[in-house]
Amino acid sequence: MLKSLTRLAAVAALTTLSFALPAQAAEKGDLLRDANEVVNDLRHDPAFGTARNMLQGAEAVYIVPKLVKAGFIFGAEGGDGVLLHRTGHGWSTPRFYGMGSASFGLQIGLEQAKLVFIINSKRALRGIEKGELKLGAGAGITVVTLSSAAEGATTTHGGDMVVWASGTGAYGGLTFNGTVIKQDKDMNEVPATGPEAQALRRNLASIW
């Protein structure tokens, strides 16, 4: 009886895995394609154009195709993203990290934003790669938002991270105080080396 139960459990586990792996692969492919579209959008943004020279020496880039911020009284925001860092042969294999934060205030509305974090310092990159980075007071990492209204200050002063954001909704802007960037261990179990990953790497290489 015990052996039969063990065999059934093993079959169930394999069946679950057989469904989970294709689903995860599809999710990764969608995220990589969306990240590639964000890079295309960024190409045409005038605020990015003035900062291009400053960003040539970036250590890494973290792309979040859809950050969702919603709430009434209590608010929260989060999204899945892709991290690539520079190597001696171009951009690395993409790795997957989620970001999220919580806030409290008189907040009404729903906002979706596309984000590109240009990571300019090794300490910021190390903080993310260690598995969890929290931005804000005490983090020791400066984050500057790049937009048409702020491009002059951004290109002059820079920061550990420069964030390009494109969003719509009832919120006046995005703040990153208390934001956590954390590795998605399940998504990173199998390296992303398929055509979607290669297309994203090529697209980034054509800009930086």
Side-chain angles (χ1 to χ4, degrees), residues 139-192:
I141 293 173
T142 59
V143 181
V144 180
T145 302
L146 177 64
S147 67
S148 297
E151 58 186 284
T154 303
T155 54
T156 302
H157 299 103
D160 292 298
M161 293 184 184
V162 175
V163 185
W164 174 86
S166 174
T168 59
Y171 292 91
L174 291 171
T175 60
F176 299 100
N177 190 43
T179 295
V180 173
I181 301 175
K182 188 173 184 179
Q183 180 181 179
D184 188 324
K185 293 182 179 178
D186 291 337
M187 293 272 278
N188 287 325
E189 274 190 336
V190 179

Side-chain angles (χ1 to χ4, degrees), residues 77-202:
E77 62 187 26
D80 296 320
V82 182
L83 178 75
L84 300 93
H85 66 267
R86 287 191 186 277
T87 72
H89 307 284
W91 290 95
S92 69
T93 298
R95 291 180 63 80
F96 301 92
Y97 290 75
M99 69 175 294
S101 69
S103 59
F104 176 82
L106 298 175
Q107 303 177 72
I108 303 173
L110 171 68
E111 181 169 351
Q112 293 187 9
K114 302 173 184 179
L115 304 176
V116 178
F117 287 74
I118 309 299
I119 301 167
N120 291 321
S121 72
K122 284 183 167 50
R123 64 175 178 169
L125 177 58
R126 284 196 299 267
I128 294 174
E129 290 180 330
K130 283 180 180 178
E132 185 170 326
L133 175 69
K134 185 173 183 179
L135 303 177
I141 293 173
T142 59
V143 181
V144 180
T145 302
L146 177 64
S147 67
S148 297
E151 58 186 284
T154 303
T155 54
T156 302
H157 299 103
D160 292 298
M161 293 184 184
V162 175
V163 185
W164 174 86
S166 174
T168 59
Y171 292 91
L174 291 171
T175 60
F176 299 100
N177 190 43
T179 295
V180 173
I181 301 175
K182 188 173 184 179
Q183 180 181 179
D184 188 324
K185 293 182 179 178
D186 291 337
M187 293 272 278
N188 287 325
E189 274 190 336
V190 179
T193 57
E196 298 91 352
Q198 297 305 322
L200 177 58
R201 293 174 67 192
R202 286 194 300 270

